Amino acid sequence: MTEKKNKLPKNNELQPELVQLQRRLFLRSGLSLGALSLLSGCNLQDGDQVDKVLWAMSRWNDRVQGMLFRPDHLAPTYPASMITKPFPFNAFYDVDSAPEIDGDTYKLEVSGLVRDQRSWNLAQLRALPQESQITRHICIEGWSAIGQWSGVPFRTFLAHIGADTTARYVGFKCADRYYSSIDMATALHPQTILALDFGQSPLPTEYGYPLKLRVPTKLGFKNPKHIAAIFVTNENPGGYWEDQGYNWYSGS
């Protein structure tokens, strides 16, 4: 999910998979200016030059993570007894500012490199095959929580709209002004779903009603909520936090 936390789970210890994911981010956040100077051969006294080098290294890190990605490797799943209660709210705004969306009039817009650009309502989305998962949400801020999400396998949805799966990216625009994007390989991963339910009920407003992307192989900010539009493209759409310096790939 997105970034400002409201509550933290009581068990706030780093889990092994969190450590593994964060290790992938060290090039973006852990190098000293001296190390950057050695690697780049540049005089990094100028702030703009530092930013350019960091952005270049972040993009390099994205490419490496993409090459390491295994489409058949699954994120760990858990029994219902391990679900975090209460599950924390997390966004770049307070919980009272979460958007109220009318499910009766909701339309999911589809565009880009797809054959069928008709919009979808909630009844049509629920008529598609559904899957459930109990997985761990891992936040870049250093905490994690286990939850249960159910919804449409994203690759099933992409097949129904005739998406060009040779395209590089899938982008998301959200009702809370958030936006993000993922690579096509992650979009087609068997655990990536368009979540309609949290636990045994429709997504609550604070958790992304009526639709959120659940990607257990990515950090939390790559799981956009309140999705209003999906598009397929060969141009990297960036993201709300990614455009502010967060590593774009941010996954395993």
Side-chain angles (χ1 to χ4, degrees):
M1 296 180 187
T2 50
E3 289 311 304
K4 179 181 175 184
K5 61 179 179 291
N6 186 31
K7 294 181 180 179
L8 294 178
K10 293 180 180 179
N11 181 6
N12 194 32
E13 296 180 356
L14 290 177
Q15 303 296 325
E17 55 265 39
L18 173 60
V19 174
Q20 182 182 23
L21 282 169
Q22 290 190 325
R23 188 180 296 124
R24 300 283 180 85
L25 304 178
F26 84 99
L27 283 173
R28 180 66 182 89
S29 59
L31 289 174
S32 68
L33 289 183
L36 286 173
S37 298
L38 289 173
L39 288 170
S40 65
C42 298
N43 180 356
L44 298 183
Q45 299 303 312
D46 180 77
D48 289 342
Q49 188 64 45
V50 172
D51 287 342
K52 289 178 181 178
V53 172
L54 285 172
W55 275 108
M57 296 189 71
S58 182
R59 294 297 173 254
W60 178 83
N61 196 21
D62 287 338
R63 291 193 293 272
V64 171
Q65 290 183 59
M67 289 186 291
L68 292 173
F69 180 77
R70 291 177 290 164
D72 58 346
H73 179 71
L74 301 180
T77 58
Y78 303 90
S81 60
M82 293 185 66
I83 291 175
T84 303
K85 297 179 181 180
F87 195 89
F89 169 78
N90 201 40
F92 63 94
Y93 46 80
D94 293 331
V95 64
D96 292 340
S97 299
E100 296 285 347
I101 298 172
D102 185 351
D104 292 335
T105 60
Y106 172 79
K107 296 288 186 181
L108 173 65
E109 302 298 329
V110 175
S111 63
L113 301 176
V114 301
R115 185 177 61 252
D116 187 348
Q117 297 193 1
R118 288 177 292 182
S119 60
W120 289 67
N121 61 34
L122 289 179
Q124 291 169 323
L125 289 169
R126 288 192 176 277
L128 294 177
Q130 308 282 304
E131 291 186 1
S132 182
Q133 61 178 250
I134 300 177
T135 50
R136 186 181 297 277
H137 172 97
I138 301 175
C139 183
I140 196 171
E141 294 173 341
W143 58 268
S144 67
I146 294 172
Q148 180 178 8
W149 293 268
S150 302
V152 183
F154 196 32
R155 59 183 179 180
T156 299
F157 179 77
L158 292 174
H160 272 78
I161 64 174
D164 179 0
T165 55
T166 67
R168 299 180 64 186
Y169 308 105
V170 182
F172 305 88
K173 298 178 181 178
C174 306
D176 59 359
R177 306 184 314 280
Y178 196 74
Y179 62 102
S180 191
S181 57
I182 59 174
D183 57 290
M184 183 59 75
T186 297
L188 298 174
H189 188 274
Q191 288 178 306
T192 301
I193 66 172
L194 289 176
L196 294 157
D197 296 331
F198 183 77
Q200 304 300 319
S201 303
L203 285 166
T205 296
E206 63 269 28
Y207 297 156
Y209 183 83
L211 187 68
K212 73 160 280 158
L213 185 72
R214 177 61 190 142
V215 194
T217 59
K218 297 280 193 187
L219 289 175
F221 73 91
K222 302 295 290 187
N223 291 240
K225 303 181 291 186
H226 313 289
I227 296 173
I230 295 174
F231 59 98
V232 177
T233 178
N234 280 314
E235 300 293 328
N236 190 327
Y240 181 90
W241 290 112
E242 297 90 327
D243 291 347
Q244 299 181 57
Y246 282 32
N247 180 254
W248 179 82
Y249 196 88
S250 289
S252 59

